Amino acid sequence: MNRLEAKGFELEPLHLAPHGLVVTKQPVSIGATLEYLQGFYYIQDPASMMVAYEIEPRQQEVILDMAAAPGGKATQILQLSRDQAFLIAVDISRQRMRSLRSNINRMGFRNYILIRGDSRRLGLREAVDKVLLDAPSSGEGIIRKDPTRKRSRSLEDILSLSALQADMLSAAVNYVKDGGVIVYSACTLAPEEGEAVISHVLERHPNIEVVPLSIPHSPGVDEYFGVKFDKSVRRCGRLYPHIHGTEGFFICKLVKRP
Amino acid sequence: MQAGEEAVVRLERLSAREKAVIIAFLESLRCPGLLDVDRLYALRVRGGKYYNVFEVDPSLLQVTALTARAPYSLGFNAGTLDARSLSFRPSLPLALRACRLCRAGVIECHVLDDRGAAVFTYGKNVWPEHVLAAGKGLKPVISRRGDCLGWGILMSHNTNKYLHPLRDLGWYLRRGG
């Protein structure tokens, strides 16, 4: 922080996240400093940071990140565990995998395994302690930054993403051990990609339950256009640009009962 | 370049010959402890022109057994070995580790002034007027403030000497994604 301030950057603490800083003035791009290249920080939206806090990574835990690239949450998990948790980070995209590897290398972590492939077909031989699924989404949550998102996705796209998200979350339930935690998130405010996915998976897997979040949030919606979801989705969280000052985000924490 | 998408990938211990190459590199830095050579593994891709070398802790190795899928990357990225010549190119994470020892005076380094540091991180050769201190051969490169910049090698062309960047941190912006 001192080094950046000496270079003319102005930074403020982020009230939502203890490790976050908001850049209020940048003489050059914050992503082009020697400090960035040496891996002192990662640039991401506060909403994305909140997800890793819900995982609460601890030393020696095996944590699976099912859609890890480009690595904002993966690197934060390793940072929060002081590189002492074992992270299995999976992504299907070859190009995004390169970004993930680059970011993990840049930040100098060593307790990780990157796997490229479909995270629904990992063939895990043993269950893991925790799973993070930051699901591929329509990206509606970033309309504020990228207005083209308003029109770049059709209703069919959202429905097809919703089915994929439910599939991935079902796989996550199978991967996590009894008593283990799953954190589901999506950069969107569309209930089809949030509460509907959770409700569907709760129906399919009666052994999981939604648990309250520790981060500031607005509650999930339990009804949308006359469609009623499982009541417990109200424990999930929504982050709104106009309320929380973040991207639009949906976060839900689930526990697998023994 | 590595082989195509469907290539077979295997994580294997380094052979004695490969280990000897890396030990020779560490000895050239006069820092044999920079890598734990007994924990070095290669991620071999059939038909690949080079393979990545990783320092992997035994506990992480146990975690790799959880899945049948071959890893894409794991542990501490030490560098790459050329499949034919077995020449070793140290990685940027290894540069960051080595630079700490430069600052502590354990390893000899190339030291650049501000202009030299900027040029170096663009992946360009640095002329001698910007090199404040030069080691012999391949060495970590640091700025005058002690910031790590990568790996560089002192070269000469006719009578001109210059510092050639083998790996520079600017790569993360240019190619890293």
Side-chain angles (χ1 to χ4, degrees):
Chain A
M1 191 171 169
N2 294 341
R3 292 173 55 131
L4 288 175
E5 282 175 342
K7 288 183 174 179
F9 287 89
E10 288 180 11
L11 308 163
E12 282 174 12
L14 176 66
H15 68 280
L16 283 171
H19 303 94
L21 292 169
V22 182
V23 182
T24 53
K25 185 185 161 198
Q26 46 182 338
V28 293
S29 165
I30 189 72
T33 66
L34 205 47
E35 287 73 20
Y36 176 79
L37 297 177
Q38 290 180 99
F40 294 168
Y41 56 87
Y42 189 97
I43 306 160
Q44 62 182 334
D45 188 83
S48 300
M49 289 189 75
M50 310 312 288
V51 178
Y53 287 115
E54 285 302 336
I55 280 279
E56 294 178 86
R58 299 209 171 88
Q59 297 188 359
Q60 305 303 309
E61 280 179 340
V62 179
I63 301 171
L64 171 66
D65 185 346
M66 289 179 67
K73 295 164 193 78
T75 52
Q76 199 185 348
I77 286 170
L78 288 168
Q79 179 212 340
L80 290 173
S81 74
R82 296 182 181 273
D83 204 8
Q84 296 295 310
F86 299 108
L87 178 76
I88 304 174
V90 187
D91 206 278
I92 198 164
S93 156
R94 192 178 183 87
Q95 195 172 348
R96 285 165 59 86
M97 201 65 186
R98 289 194 185 123
S99 304
L100 173 61
R101 181 179 59 181
S102 167
N103 279 317
I104 285 192
N105 279 340
R106 178 174 61 81
M107 301 189 81
F109 294 116
R110 53 180 302 144
N111 254 352
Y112 70 91
I113 300 165
L114 305 188
I115 295 173
R116 195 176 72 80
D118 187 339
S119 56
R120 292 170 297 176
R121 293 177 186 86
L122 270 185
L124 282 189
R125 295 182 178 119
E126 270 178 54
V128 298
D129 297 297
K130 290 173 178 172
V131 178
L132 166 63
L133 172 56
D134 182 39
S137 72
S138 61
E140 273 190 12
I142 57 166
I143 281 176
R144 190 171 58 153
K145 287 181 190 160
D146 177 12
T148 63
R149 296 269 172 174
K150 281 183 197 168
R151 292 186 185 87
S152 62
R153 298 280 190 278
S154 65
L155 185 59
E156 286 73 31
D157 290 336
I158 290 178
L159 293 176
S160 127
L161 279 165
S162 180
L164 171 67
Q165 290 155 346
D167 244 20
M168 292 179 83
L169 187 52
S170 269
V173 175
N174 295 327
Y175 293 151
V176 79
K177 61 164 70 162
D178 290 347
V181 168
I182 302 166
V183 174
Y184 172 86
S185 65
C187 180
T188 178
L189 291 170
E192 295 93 333
E193 300 179 72
E195 290 86 347
V197 172
I198 301 296
S199 201
H200 178 78
V201 173
L202 286 173
E203 208 173 281
R204 216 195 283 182
H205 300 273
N207 56 336
I208 58 164
E209 65 176 318
V210 181
V211 294
L213 298 169
S214 58
I215 55 164
H217 64 277
S218 297
V221 295
D222 56 5
E223 189 180 341
Y224 181 65
F225 277 106
V227 179
K228 289 196 164 78
F229 304 127
D230 190 292
K231 286 278 173 212
S232 65
V233 298
R234 284 192 63 77
R235 288 194 209 133
C236 300
R238 294 178 144 253
L239 295 172
Y240 292 107
H242 61 291
I243 297 175
H244 303 99
T246 64
E247 291 172 347
F249 228 81
F250 176 82
I251 306 177
C252 200
K253 188 171 182 175
L254 304 151
V255 169
K256 186 175 177 180
R257 283 196 305 263
Chain B
M1 284 292 292
Q2 286 293 57
E5 199 145 324
E6 302 308 321
V8 178
V9 181
R10 294 186 322 272
L11 181 69
E12 292 176 339
R13 273 188 187 279
L14 291 191
S15 68
R17 215 171 128 223
E18 291 162 343
K19 232 187 228 184
V21 169
I22 293 181
I23 290 170
F25 164 75
L26 297 175
E27 280 172 356
S28 74
L29 294 176
R30 293 188 191 146
C31 190
L34 189 62
L35 282 170
D36 184 344
V37 286
D38 293 327
R39 292 182 176 181
L40 292 182
Y41 289 79
L43 208 50
R44 296 184 208 277
V45 182
R46 197 166 61 191
K49 290 181 181 166
Y50 64 83
Y51 33 87
N52 293 302
V53 177
F54 299 94
E55 187 183 61
V56 186
D57 290 339
S59 50
L60 184 66
L61 212 54
Q62 284 176 0
V63 178
T64 62
L66 287 184
T67 169
R69 306 288 287 264
Y72 179 87
S73 176
L74 79 166
F76 181 81
N77 178 2
T80 53
L81 270 168
D82 188 284
R84 271 196 188 170
S85 67
L86 286 192
S87 60
F88 179 66
R89 280 169 70 96
S91 69
L92 287 170
L94 189 61
L96 289 170
R97 192 186 272 188
C99 288
R100 277 182 224 127
L101 298 171
C102 289
R103 292 190 285 264
V106 178
I107 293 181
E108 192 183 30
C109 279
H110 304 299
V111 184
L112 304 182
D113 67 9
D114 291 348
R115 174 76 188 148
V119 170
F120 187 85
T121 50
Y122 276 93
K124 309 273 187 202
N125 293 333
V126 180
W127 298 109
E129 57 266 34
H130 301 296
V131 181
L132 302 176
K136 221 177 180 184
L138 178 62
K139 293 280 183 287
V141 182
I142 60 173
S143 71
R144 67 183 176 88
R145 293 184 184 84
D147 287 324
C148 188
L149 303 172
W151 292 99
I153 186 163
L154 206 59
M155 299 182 93
S156 58
H157 178 69
N158 296 333
T159 54
N160 297 321
K161 280 193 170 178
Y162 58 91
L163 187 74
H164 175 69
L166 188 76
R167 299 236 196 238
D168 67 281
L169 285 190
W171 180 91
Y172 286 127
L173 291 182
R174 296 193 304 274
R175 300 278 307 278

